[in-house]
Amino acid sequence: MEVTDLIPQRFPLQLLDRIVAVQPGVSATAEKLVTINEWFFQSPTLTGRTMIRPVLLEILAQTGVVALLSMPEHHGNNVFFGGIRQADFKTDVRPGDRLEAMVTLTKLRRQIGTGHGVITCAGHEVVSADLTFVMQA
């Protein structure tokens, strides 16, 4: 299954490289290979070469959307990132890192869903967050 089959984002905003696993309506796991050529590393105002934290949250959001839109009844709907309840950042991400993002949906009622996401790199947790999603038919 291709990433573009499930989420509407395209380059440069599509941040997922590959869907590793998906259980429709339950969870999704995706992969991101971080390269120096990423758009968020190109800003002349950034002094370091670390991935900015909002991009990490967007990776989790896109992974959660995969879990939602893989459900037959929601395929083709619009899903919006409704918010972040909490996020804990543990370490920085640099070019050359391979990230694995996993989002488990915790609640799904009508158009509102919540989930818990974790990004790991080389077996170490990078970020964990509780996310809210809003669906529109």
Side-chain angles (χ1 to χ4, degrees):
M1 178 179 324
E2 295 294 319
V3 174
T4 54
D5 294 339
L6 290 174
I7 65 172
Q9 286 86 355
R10 299 295 181 258
F11 178 82
L13 298 178
Q14 177 186 315
L15 297 171
L16 305 181
D17 293 329
R18 186 170 74 93
I19 297 171
V20 176
V22 64
Q23 289 182 280
V26 177
S27 67
T29 303
E31 184 178 75
K32 169 70 177 166
L33 301 173
V34 182
T35 70
I36 192 65
N37 297 322
E38 306 284 355
W39 61 266
F40 41 82
F41 289 135
Q42 305 309 313
S43 172
T45 59
L46 293 177
T47 57
R49 292 291 184 201
T50 59
M51 185 183 281
I52 54 178
R53 291 178 172 180
V55 173
L56 293 169
L57 295 173
E58 179 62 21
I59 290 170
L60 286 175
Q62 290 182 17
T63 305
V65 169
V66 167
L68 287 167
L69 293 184
S70 63
M71 299 171 64
E73 62 269 28
H74 297 303
H75 188 73
N77 287 357
N78 290 322
V79 179
F80 301 98
F81 190 23
I84 308 157
R85 290 185 127 169
Q86 67 82 32
D88 294 320
F89 296 91
K90 311 282 195 241
T91 188
D92 291 328
V93 174
R94 292 180 169 69
D97 287 345
R98 184 184 69 79
L99 304 179
E100 185 172 271
M102 181 174 182
V103 173
T104 303
L105 299 177
T106 54
K107 189 186 292 184
L108 186 58
R109 293 185 186 213
R110 297 184 186 157
Q111 290 91 5
I112 307 291
T114 59
H116 179 75
V118 175
I119 294 179
T120 59
C121 178
H124 302 297
E125 188 174 296
V126 173
V127 62
S128 66
D130 292 325
L131 313 166
T132 302
F133 303 95
V134 179
M135 286 181 286
Q136 179 185 25

